[in-house]
Amino acid sequence: MPASPSPPPDEVQLVVDGVQVVVADRGGSLLGALRDQLGITSVKDGCSPQGQCGCCTVLVDGAPRVSCVTPVRRVAGRSISTVDGLDAGVRADWSSALCASGGSQCGFCTPGIVVRLSALRAKGTAVTDHGAVERALQAHLCRCTGWQTIIEAWDGLGAAPTERDLDAASQRATIEGGAPQLVAPAVAEGRGGFADDTAPDGCLVAVRAADGAWVVGESVEEARSLAGKVQGRRTTVDPAPPLAVPEGAWDATLRTSWVEPGYLETDATWCEPGGEPASSLANGGAFGAKDGGHLGPVARELADRHGRPVRVIWSREDVVRLGPKRPPVAGGALADGTGRLVVVRTPGIADAVARVAPGLVVEEVDAPGPPTSAHPRAAGWAEAVVLLAGSRGSTVPVVGPDGGRAEAAIVDGRIQVRVAAGDPLDPVVLRSYAIGAAHMAYGWVTSEGLAVDGDGTVHDLTIRSFGIPRAVDTPPIDVEIDPSAGPPVNGSDAVFAAVAAAIWLHQGCPPDLPTRGAL
């Protein structure tokens, strides 16, 4: 006997960006309705359904709300505003201000931030009330900018933009980010060409089930439901370094934990039948932490099998379990620059260390845990710089493998940075990347880590469990740019290493990272 047809899904009426619309209610979220049904891609999915990164923030009757944990049926009949629905002048002011301050690098987080801060400004919050801005930003995660330039955009909202060469700015951003990157006001509105945003209409969606199989549905929410996706968790176990310091009478020792790179756009691609997959890298390269092509063969095979274009998407939990991490290390060093560094086996890591610390003997060992890579920002050689600074008891200017040079110091609770990266090309972008690198170094030394058990299973799977410093946690960062002669080179990686060393020395060189200590 043939099965009875399923009843049609309920319908929900909404006003979205000033237009009356009807969406199907399949028990899903407002985010799913906006992206999958209405095609509004400025609303980003960075952690769905964790509700912790803020990338999907919209206004519901004028109040900010995280749409990935808002059931669409709960907002029936209400007015929804995305960044696209803001007053055109307001949107242009925010886009211009963020571009002018360097407060938007990849542009994935900023649409949600613009929505929230525009609502804060509309309430009459004083321009000088940075405390209110920092509290509002607690609902968001930004990995690129270090927050400071976003607050500077709040200060500069509505100011006339200064003349800039945005092609030169884009060139500097590409050098610092390690992948092609666009600098333009539209980037702050989320228009950086992210892979999942560029997929054609009518795509099937493939997500990864717990057993590693790919499950295909008509939408992200349907595919996740079919896959039996379980919400990520946060453990109460503290992260712990997995390796032991080699024996020796060392002047300094250092052990690092597993850490999550924390890029916001989860890995995604799409492919037409018989076509070439889109790269997972969009406006920026996640500072080397993201593989641009590993999902492509999956998308091609599924598109050919189903005869339709297919989007392939990792969840936030997939990124944490399966995405590459900087390899943990354990080392000891003497004041003369010699020593031993034990590191989780990683192709290319020994060469990375040797370029800046030839006196360290590198021993690679196997350890259970997530995959590792030598590509995340300054992986291996920053650890060597920090360890040698501790063995000397002082910092020295750091010269990165690309030739960028940086110095850092902690003065009266502020992080002070001087960077030389050849022709600056665009000082705004170079400064922004230096501030972001300093923020990342501060988190790496003081607070970031993943709980990984003895079997190598990651237990921290939510955005908020990574330990990434919030705006309210981040010390002020001062950057001085040395406009040195020569071709432009990457400077922010040297800033990362120099700031990490300065913070570690300032804290008295605790042997294990994260130190759990503030400035």
Side-chain angles (χ1 to χ4, degrees), residues 22-181:
V22 176
V23 297
D25 176 17
R26 307 184 182 97
S29 68
L30 176 58
L31 172 64
L34 293 173
R35 283 189 65 90
D36 285 342
Q37 297 190 53
L38 299 178
I40 301 176
T41 57
S42 63
V43 186
K44 308 300 185 186
D45 182 355
C47 71
S48 175
Q50 295 179 6
Q52 296 184 0
C53 75
C55 293
C56 67
T57 300
V58 298
L59 301 181
V60 178
D61 292 339
R65 183 172 294 189
V66 181
S67 62
C68 75
V69 291
T70 300
V72 69
R73 65 185 58 166
R74 293 276 184 89
V75 293
R78 302 176 73 176
S79 178
I80 313 299
S81 294
T82 72
V83 72
D84 300 320
L86 298 179
D87 175 84
V90 170
R91 186 171 67 250
D93 282 348
W94 277 108
S95 300
S96 177
L98 284 160
C99 184
S101 70
S104 182
Q105 288 183 18
C106 77
F108 195 85
C109 69
T110 42
I113 289 173
V114 167
V115 166
R116 187 175 298 275
L117 293 188
S118 67
L120 188 66
R121 185 63 70 97
K123 289 169 55 177
T125 303
V127 175
T128 56
D129 191 353
H130 287 179
V133 179
E134 290 178 345
R135 289 190 294 273
L137 290 173
Q138 289 187 73
H140 295 265
L141 178 65
C142 176
R143 194 48 161 163
C144 298
T145 65
W147 302 112
Q148 186 169 304
T149 49
I150 294 174
I151 298 171
E152 290 167 357
W154 165 274
D155 293 342
L157 187 69
T162 58
E163 184 102 7
R164 287 171 70 192
D165 182 346
L166 293 184
D167 288 337
S170 298
Q171 184 182 349
R172 170 54 67 181
T174 298
I175 291 169
E176 299 300 329
Q181 186 150 354

Side-chain angles (χ1 to χ4, degrees), residues 200-213:
D201 293 337
C203 278
L204 293 170
V205 180
V207 302
R208 190 177 179 276
D211 62 1

Side-chain angles (χ1 to χ4, degrees), residues 222-285:
E222 178 182 314
R224 287 178 175 172
S225 176
L226 293 171
K229 181 182 184 297
V230 177
Q231 170 66 31
R233 61 190 181 277
R234 175 177 186 172
T235 182
T236 57
V237 177
D238 288 333
L243 304 178
V245 172
E247 292 185 4
W250 307 114
D251 291 319
T253 63
L254 175 69
R255 298 195 306 165
T256 66
S257 304
W258 300 98
V259 294
E260 169 55 38
Y263 51 83
L264 264 290
E265 182 205 15
T266 58
D267 301 57
T269 185
W270 58 270
C271 190
E272 301 262 14
E276 287 298 318
S279 170
S280 291
L281 300 180
N283 198 37

Side-chain angles (χ1 to χ4, degrees), residues 277-303:
S279 170
S280 291
L281 300 180
N283 198 37
F287 309 107
K290 183 188 285 189
D291 186 329
H294 67 109
L295 295 181
V298 177
R300 180 187 292 111
E301 191 276 328
L302 290 174

Side-chain angles (χ1 to χ4, degrees), residues 326-347:
R326 63 187 309 120
V329 307
L334 298 173
D336 65 2
T338 62
R340 291 181 59 200
L341 191 70
V342 181
V343 59
V344 173
R345 194 179 309 281
T346 305

Side-chain angles (χ1 to χ4, degrees), residues 7 28 32 35 71 163 209 239 280 288 303 306 334 357 366 417 433 437 479 509 511:
R35 283 189 65 90
E163 184 102 7
S280 291
H306 291 275
L334 298 173
D366 295 312
V417 175
Y433 272 86
V479 176
C509 302

